[in-house]
Amino acid sequence: PLLLAASGTMSRPTVEEAVEVLMMNEPKAFRIVTEVLFKIVRNIELHPHEPKYSQISTGSAAYTGKIACAKGGLRFLRAVGFEKREAAAGGAGCSSDAGDAPTLVLAAPDAEVLEAGKQALKAAVKEFGAKVEAARVAENKAAAFKLAELKRVSAQNNSKRDATAEAERRQIMEGMAADKAELERQRDPSNFC
């Protein structure tokens, strides 16, 4: 949600708020958006007076596919000072592959805010990685528990099957012994009535 100042205008979100929203992304989207945002901030720090680094067309494929589609991407840009400017309608020399899409502009880069943004992104990447790793470890533990349970059930089933097979074998052996005894009794000439 956008924050409203007491005057009713939109206030700029903080870097911390933006990063908190970024952390809600799925791993792939998080990785992509944080890499792009970090690159944007780093390029502005390295080239503070070059407009190409402080302007982002909201109609570009890079913006729509990597920043706008991720939770918190635009919020982060606003937190470090980017503001939306409407495109000039058909102005001379304004040919853009993004058409009449608004542009995000960082008019007055603040080195401290940019550095804070960069550090916040680094910390977020580290924290997100730890969360992903913790989830992976928990998933592996759950899978190991399930595997152990399956092995236990399988061993029980094997034991029951082995006991049943042993009982059948004993019954067959006893039947064979009884048949053999009956055959011997029948062959013994002294057993005739």
Side-chain angles (χ1 to χ4, degrees), residues 12-163:
R12 199 162 91 183
T14 66
V15 169
E16 292 77 18
E17 291 168 339
V19 168
E20 189 175 314
V21 176
L22 284 171
M23 297 286 288
M24 295 177 192
N25 285 291
E26 293 297 319
K28 182 178 180 181
F30 177 82
R31 182 186 55 78
I32 291 169
V33 73
T34 53
E35 286 176 0
V36 171
L37 292 172
F38 189 85
K39 185 175 181 179
I40 289 169
V41 171
R42 190 186 67 225
N43 282 339
I44 293 169
E45 284 183 328
L46 295 174
H47 312 284
H49 302 294
E50 290 188 42
K52 74 177 185 179
Y53 295 113
S54 59
Q55 295 180 9
I56 302 167
S57 171
T58 60
S60 71
Y63 176 80
T64 57
K66 296 179 181 178
I67 298 172
C69 66
K71 298 172 192 143
L74 174 59
R75 183 179 294 254
F76 181 85
L77 291 173
R78 288 187 58 242
V80 295
F82 277 87
E83 297 174 355
K84 187 185 277 188
R85 300 258 170 90
E86 295 302 321
C94 292
S95 64
S96 166
D97 57 346
D100 291 334
T103 301
L104 295 172
V105 177
L106 183 62
D110 181 333
E112 287 181 25
V113 172
L114 291 170
E115 183 59 28
K118 196 167 74 171
Q119 294 307 317
L121 286 173
K122 285 181 180 179
V125 167
K126 188 174 182 178
E127 181 182 342
F128 195 85
K131 284 173 66 173
V132 168
E133 179 63 16
R136 187 190 65 76
V137 167
E139 187 177 307
N140 285 349
K141 283 182 180 179
F145 177 78
K146 190 172 186 176
L147 180 61
E149 183 63 17
L150 288 172
K151 284 182 177 179
R152 185 187 65 75
V153 168
S154 179
Q156 278 182 336
N157 290 342
N158 287 342
S159 177
K160 286 178 186 177
R161 185 190 69 227
D162 291 349

